[in-house]
């Protein structure tokens, strides 16, 4: 489990490409760069109420839910992702 809530303000790329987690949760965060989960295998992904430039999720596998309510982003690239 990787969880950040209300305390993370990052101005760098968060690279979780090719990673595997039961859950990756970012809630109420401000991320000034890319959140990259391309090719990752995740049980659950939440980016609720989080601001970030964009989400790269190319070919990612998310076995459970994908929550993004209240998220603010430029774009989400989820080509060939399985959710």
């Amino acid at each position: 489990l990787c969880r950040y809530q209300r305390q993370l303000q990052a101005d760098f790329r968060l690279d979780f490409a090719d990673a595997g987690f039961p859950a990756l949760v970012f809630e109420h965060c401000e991320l000034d760069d890319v959140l990259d989960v391309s090719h990752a295998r995740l049980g659950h992904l939440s980016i609720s109420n989080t601001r970030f430039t964009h989400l790269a999720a190319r070919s990612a596998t998310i076995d459970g839910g994908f929550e993004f309510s209240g998220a603010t982003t430029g774009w989400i690239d989820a080509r060939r992702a399985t959710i």
Side-chain angles (χ1 to χ4, degrees):
L1 174 65
C2 183
R3 177 182 293 271
Y4 295 94
Q5 286 185 295
R6 296 192 180 136
Q7 298 175 3
L8 180 67
Q9 182 171 1
D11 60 357
F12 52 88
R13 180 184 189 99
L14 291 172
D15 188 352
F16 294 96
D18 298 308
F21 291 104
L24 187 58
V25 179
F26 291 91
E27 295 176 348
H28 303 280
C29 297
E30 294 184 23
L31 311 176
D32 292 333
D33 207 335
V34 179
L35 175 57
D36 189 351
V37 296
S38 298
H39 305 279
R41 177 133 200 163
L42 306 172
H44 175 82
L45 175 62
S46 177
I47 52 174
S48 296
N49 300 303
T50 292
R51 184 184 60 79
F52 52 95
T53 60
H54 66 275
L55 173 67
R58 292 175 304 274
S59 299
T61 300
I62 303 171
D63 295 319
F66 174 34
E67 298 176 30
F68 54 93
S69 63
T72 304
T73 183
W75 52 272
I76 296 175
D77 179 0
R79 286 178 281 174
R80 295 181 303 279
T82 303
I83 300 172

